[in-house]
């Protein structure tokens, strides 16, 4: 399907990670990426949803009108803190996309999705269900997004977010940087404890399992917070490995900044036998990930995270795409991990795909920059700014890997959360699965404050 081009102005050229004095010159010399006009912001909550999606459905009715999303828990839900049950459990697929009918649906698939179907024609099938626009956020997030629309801006070649807080910073985006910042700042549970089970799966179906406990304070999303109160930190993240035994006790601590020109992401690490928690400066971009068997880079976590300065970013427009969504069945605690994992790919009978409108953003590696992915194409859901699919190309411009995010809407708290992320390696017939918690407690709220993520306090967790 041809991508619908949007009438957007192009953004200034971006910068590589450079010495501090070069970044200072760039930050002072280059203009900020401009705010939108009031008349564009006035469309929010009318023809657009509060976060900037098209409220109306498609003319053929396949994508329905957004009616506010899933704001009331279904009868099967047993209360806050319990597993999110499937409000669509009785639905059946409208059809299934497979090798035999791939040509019929190819215009609504990414290059990577189509490649997976062709590579595994006997088993890789995408069950397509009715589109349910379930996305919803609290009203205070919508109000913040409306305020952000005319005051938020990007400085330092897109590496510094200024004037935004709590809600989507750019509900009417005009460039690729803004779309990706919308993903990075999308609202989620402000304070949570969760389990992240990661599986590196070989071509034979065997896998290695790494289990993490993760504690998160999403400071940017707290209601009533001010930009000054954030002290330039958007998110605090503490990850502790609990399995396998050889990795147990490993620690990763991140303070993710809003303005990486002013201050780069703060990162600390501890590995068993290392002696103490150490400040490190090389976690990000293409650095390796614990237990991933080389199947993803650091900046692929949460589909994309961290600085964007190694790439040129371009907003290509919008299109319709079959994407994973409303993955409640895949999130069920009746499933064992062995039920979900198979040779070459997930058990596709457990997945759910819907036709959605997505923003399409392409990132091309800047001349002189280093990263194994020369080109990345992101497909970002218009409703909640979740990156749903990413196609990744190697140095020879050959399609290499495909990422997908399976999500559910937390209907008691009104945010969208990832319940499974995949990275498929088309060249080596392996894949990585992250964010599963089927055999663990579901993520729960915690009363963490900023001092919980102080490296001195975290150091006390290190076992002698």
């Amino acid at each position: 399907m041809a991508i619908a081009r949007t009438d957007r102005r192009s953004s200034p050229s971006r910068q590589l990670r450079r010495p501090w004095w070069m970044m200072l010159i760039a930050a002072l010399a280059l203009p900020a990426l401009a705010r939108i006009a009031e008349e564009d912001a006035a469309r929010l909550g009318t023809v657009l949803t509060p976060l900037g999606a098209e409220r109306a459905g498609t003319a053929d009715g396949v994508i329905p009108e957004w009616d506010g999303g899933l704001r009331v828990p279904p009868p099967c839900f047993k209360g806050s803190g319990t597993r999110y049950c499937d409000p669509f459990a009785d639905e059946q697929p409208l059809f299934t996309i497979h090798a035999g009918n791939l040509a019929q649906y190819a215009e609504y698939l990414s290059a990577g999705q189509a490649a997976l179907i062709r590579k595994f024609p006997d088993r890789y099938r995408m069950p397509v269900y009715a589109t349910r626009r379930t996305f919803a956020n609290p009203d205070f997030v919508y109000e913040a997004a409306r305020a952000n629309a005319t005051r938020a801006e990007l400085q330092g070649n897109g590496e510094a977010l200024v004037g935004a807080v709590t809600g989507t910073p750019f509900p009417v985006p005009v460039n690729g940087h803004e779309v990706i910042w919308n993903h990075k700042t999308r609202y989620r549970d402000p304070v949570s404890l969760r389990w992240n089970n990661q599986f590196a799966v070989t071509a034979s179906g065997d896998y290695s399992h790494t289990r993490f406990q993760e504690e998160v304070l999403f400071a940017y999303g707290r209601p009533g917070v001010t930009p000054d109160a954030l002290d330039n930190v958007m998110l605090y993240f503490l990850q502790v490995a609990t399995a396998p035994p050889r990795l147990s006790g490993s620690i990763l601590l991140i303070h993710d900044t809003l303005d990486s020109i002013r201050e780069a992401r703060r990162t600390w690490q501890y590995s068993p036998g290392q002696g103490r928690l150490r400040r490190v400066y090389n976690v990000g971009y293409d650095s390796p990930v614990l237990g991933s068997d080389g199947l993803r880079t650091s900046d692929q976590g949460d589909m994309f995270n961290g600085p964007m300065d190694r790439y040129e970013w371009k907003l290509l427009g919008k299109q319709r795409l079959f994407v994973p969504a409303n993955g409640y069945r895949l999130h069920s605690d009746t499933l064992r991990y062995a039920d979900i994992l198979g040779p070459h790919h997930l058990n596709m009978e457990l997945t759910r795909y819907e036709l959605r409108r997505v923003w399409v953003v392409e990132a091309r590696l800047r001349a002189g920059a280093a990263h194994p992915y020369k080109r990345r194409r992101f497909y970002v859901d218009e409703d909640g700014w979740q990156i749903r699919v990413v196609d990744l190309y190697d140095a020879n411009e050959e399609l290499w890997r495909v990422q997908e995010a399976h999500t559910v809407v937390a209907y008691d708290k009104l945010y969208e959360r990832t319940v499974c992320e995949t990275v498929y390696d088309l060249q080596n017939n392996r894949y990585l699965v992250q964010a599963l918690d089927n055999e663990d407690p579901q993520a729960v709220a915690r009363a963490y404050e900023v001092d919980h993520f102080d490296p001195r306090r975290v150091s006390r967790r290190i076992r002698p």
Side-chain angles (χ1 to χ4, degrees), residues 176-329:
H177 266 108
E178 292 182 353
V179 172
I180 300 302
W181 268 107
N182 286 349
H183 167 79
K184 293 200 297 181
T185 57
R186 70 198 187 283
Y187 179 74
R188 63 207 80 168
D189 205 348
V191 190
S192 64
L193 167 67
R194 67 194 186 198
W195 295 98
N196 173 1
N197 288 273
Q198 175 181 271
F199 299 87
V201 187
T202 68
S204 67
D206 294 333
Y207 54 78
S208 59
H209 177 193
T210 307
R211 183 172 181 259
F212 300 103
Q213 176 183 294
E214 296 176 343
E215 299 163 25
V216 182
L217 169 55
F218 182 53
Y220 176 94
R222 282 184 155 179
V225 71
T226 65
D228 288 343
L230 290 175
D231 193 25
N232 196 36
V233 180
M234 172 178 68
L235 178 143
Y236 297 86
F237 175 81
L238 174 60
Q239 181 186 78
V240 181
T242 64
R246 65 182 177 83
L247 299 178
S248 182
S250 299
I251 293 174
L252 174 64
L253 173 64
I254 295 175
H255 298 175
D256 218 359
T257 57
L258 289 161
D259 181 348
S260 63
I261 301 298
R262 171 181 157 193
E263 182 183 12
R265 167 189 280 183
R266 311 169 196 156
T267 312
W268 296 261
Q269 277 186 326
Y270 167 76
S271 299
Q274 183 174 286
R276 61 183 178 87
L277 188 71
R278 298 176 185 269
R279 182 74 183 267
V280 292
Y281 299 90
N282 60 347
V283 173
Y285 300 115
D286 56 345
S287 61
V289 175
L290 192 69
S292 69
D293 199 21
L295 284 166
R296 81 164 174 93
T297 57
S298 179
D299 60 7
Q300 285 179 264
D302 193 31
M303 301 302 282
F304 182 83
N305 73 91
M308 294 183 272
D309 58 326
R310 291 192 182 181
Y311 288 88
E312 297 276 1
W313 298 82
K314 185 176 182 181
L315 178 58
L316 300 182
K318 266 189 181 180
Q319 73 171 79
R320 286 177 287 171
L321 197 76
F322 290 116
V323 299
N326 291 315
Y328 294 95
R329 185 180 183 190

Side-chain angles (χ1 to χ4, degrees), residues 123-135:
R123 295 185 58 188
Y124 195 90
R125 296 167 175 259
M126 294 172 59
V128 177
Y129 290 76
T131 299
R132 305 294 184 190
R133 296 180 71 179
T134 50
F135 177 81

Side-chain angles (χ1 to χ4, degrees), residues 20-185:
W20 68 268
W21 56 271
M22 294 183 70
M23 292 193 291
L24 178 60
I25 292 172
L28 293 174
L30 292 176
L33 304 186
R35 306 176 178 97
I36 65 169
E38 178 60 38
E39 54 265 33
D40 288 329
R43 298 162 59 207
L44 298 172
T46 56
V47 296
L48 301 179
T49 69
L51 297 191
E54 298 173 50
R55 181 182 290 271
T58 53
D60 58 13
V62 175
I63 298 177
E65 179 181 359
W66 184 76
D67 62 2
L70 185 58
R71 300 181 68 90
V72 178
C76 61
F77 186 53
K78 296 179 181 179
S80 184
T82 65
R83 180 77 40 167
Y84 290 113
C85 61
D86 188 355
F88 312 113
D90 295 333
E91 293 188 354
Q92 297 298 316
L94 301 175
F95 55 89
T96 300
I97 303 174
H98 50 79
N101 63 6
L102 175 59
Q104 181 179 348
Y105 299 107
E107 64 178 315
Y108 303 111
L109 298 171
S110 80
Q113 290 175 313
L116 282 166
I117 294 173
R118 287 192 296 267
K119 191 170 186 67
F120 307 113
D122 296 332
R123 295 185 58 188
Y124 195 90
R125 296 167 175 259
M126 294 172 59
V128 177
Y129 290 76
T131 299
R132 305 294 184 190
R133 296 180 71 179
T134 50
F135 177 81
N137 272 167
D139 289 342
F140 71 83
V141 176
Y142 297 153
E143 293 164 4
R146 177 62 177 82
N148 289 341
T150 55
R151 71 185 182 193
E153 62 182 19
L154 292 179
Q155 298 177 359
N157 290 330
E159 292 303 304
L161 176 61
V162 178
V165 72
T166 305
T168 301
F170 307 108
V172 186
V174 297
N175 55 61
H177 266 108
E178 292 182 353
V179 172
I180 300 302
W181 268 107
N182 286 349
H183 167 79
K184 293 200 297 181
T185 57

